[in-house]
């Protein structure tokens, strides 16, 4: 949660904007943000029928809500509330800027006067895709040993020996690397080995580039 506030130019009203990250979507790489914009009267200076006191709320480079404050009759008043969606960066990180402005066109002593404030909010880092590399270890006429390595914890892998045309799955112990032995291969045959890894926290999959190995004659 993050909030910003500003006292109106006439000194007896405070405006406050609060943002709360309600949820994240790993699949869509987005966050849902709730917002609430409040008017707090410091000295019971109320007004009615002034439609030219306006506000605008912006977040992540766009106006998310704007309007007028025609009546102010309670000490703590919610002017606007709602939600909006923010896309994250490709690596799952995101920090947004947000702000509000109030323009008091009424020109009365008991209204708030102009106000504005701005701030930033760091959102949850959404787990994204893992990396995966392959390293040749050894071979025989009918087998190939190689190691796959990732930067993230992996809970499941698939292996292809034909450049991704078909795959075989392996339910592995959680980890960041392991050595695999591919057996029952044909002698003097070139295999293009690929490893697909599933990142444990996001469940997103990544394919390696092909590792070309020719078995012994």
């Amino acid at each position: 949660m993050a909030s910003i506030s500003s006292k109106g130019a006439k000194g007896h009203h405070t405006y406050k904007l609060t943002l709360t990250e309600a949820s994240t979507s790993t699949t869509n790489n987005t966050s849902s943000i709730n917002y609430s914009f409040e008017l707090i009267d410091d000295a019971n200076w109320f007004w009615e029928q002034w439609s030219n006191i306006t506000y605008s709320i912006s977040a992540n480079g766009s106006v998310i809500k704007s309007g007028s404050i025609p009546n102010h009759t309670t000490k703590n008043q919610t002017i606007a509330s709602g939600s909006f969606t923010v896309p994250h960066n490709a690596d799952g990180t995101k920090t947004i800027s947000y702000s509000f402005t109030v323009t008091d066109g009424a020109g009365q002593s008991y209204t708030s006067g102009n106000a504005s404030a701005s701030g930033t909010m760091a959102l949850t880092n959404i787990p994204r895709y893992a990396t995966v590399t392959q390293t040749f270890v050894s071979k025989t006429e009918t087998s190939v040993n190689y190691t796959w390595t990732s930067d993230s914890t992996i809970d499941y892998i698939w292996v292809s020996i034909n450049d991704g045309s078909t795959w075989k799955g392996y339910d592995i112990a959680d980890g960041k690397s392991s050595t695999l032995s591919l057996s029952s291969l044909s002698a003097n045959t070139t295999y293009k080995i690929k490893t697909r890894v599933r990142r444990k926290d996001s469940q997103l999959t990544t394919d390696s580039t092909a590792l070309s190995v020719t078995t012994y004659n």
Side-chain angles (χ1 to χ4, degrees), residues 6-51:
S6 174
K7 191 175 288 292
K10 296 174 185 176
H12 34 66
H13 297 84
T14 299
Y15 292 94
K16 182 179 180 181
L17 175 62
T18 301
L19 269 57
T20 304
E21 187 177 25
S23 62
T24 60
S25 170
T26 300
T27 301
N28 298 325
N29 196 30
T30 58
S31 286
S32 178
I33 310 296
N34 295 337
Y35 71 90
S36 177
F37 187 46
E38 300 172 87
L39 167 58
I40 303 166
D41 196 320
D42 302 330
N44 295 326
W45 292 58
F46 302 141
W47 68 76
E48 295 184 15
Q49 308 305 321
W50 291 111
S51 60

Side-chain angles (χ1 to χ4, degrees), residues 33-101:
I33 310 296
N34 295 337
Y35 71 90
S36 177
F37 187 46
E38 300 172 87
L39 167 58
I40 303 166
D41 196 320
D42 302 330
N44 295 326
W45 292 58
F46 302 141
W47 68 76
E48 295 184 15
Q49 308 305 321
W50 291 111
S51 60
N52 53 348
I53 304 175
T54 60
Y55 70 92
S56 178
I57 303 170
S58 297
N60 199 35
S62 300
V63 175
I64 59 172
K65 187 71 174 179
S66 62
S68 61
I69 313 170
N71 296 306
H72 167 48
T73 57
T74 59
K75 189 172 181 66
N76 287 47
Q77 177 181 349
T78 298
I79 300 169
S81 62
S83 63
F84 59 96
T85 300
V86 176
H88 284 229
N89 301 322
D91 64 357
T93 63
K94 186 64 178 180
T95 297
I96 62 170
S97 298
Y98 64 108
S99 63
F100 70 81
T101 59

Side-chain angles (χ1 to χ4, degrees), residues 132 134 146 148 158-168 180 182 191-197 206-212:
V132 56
Q134 301 179 124
Y146 78 99
W148 65 266
W158 296 259
V159 176
S160 172
I161 60 174
N162 51 20
D163 203 24
S165 295
T166 58
W167 298 87
K168 180 179 180 180
L180 298 179
L182 307 180
Y191 294 92
K192 292 186 176 181
I193 301 166
K194 283 187 173 181
T195 304
R196 175 177 294 166
V197 299
T206 305
D207 291 359
S208 69
T209 58
L211 174 66
S212 182

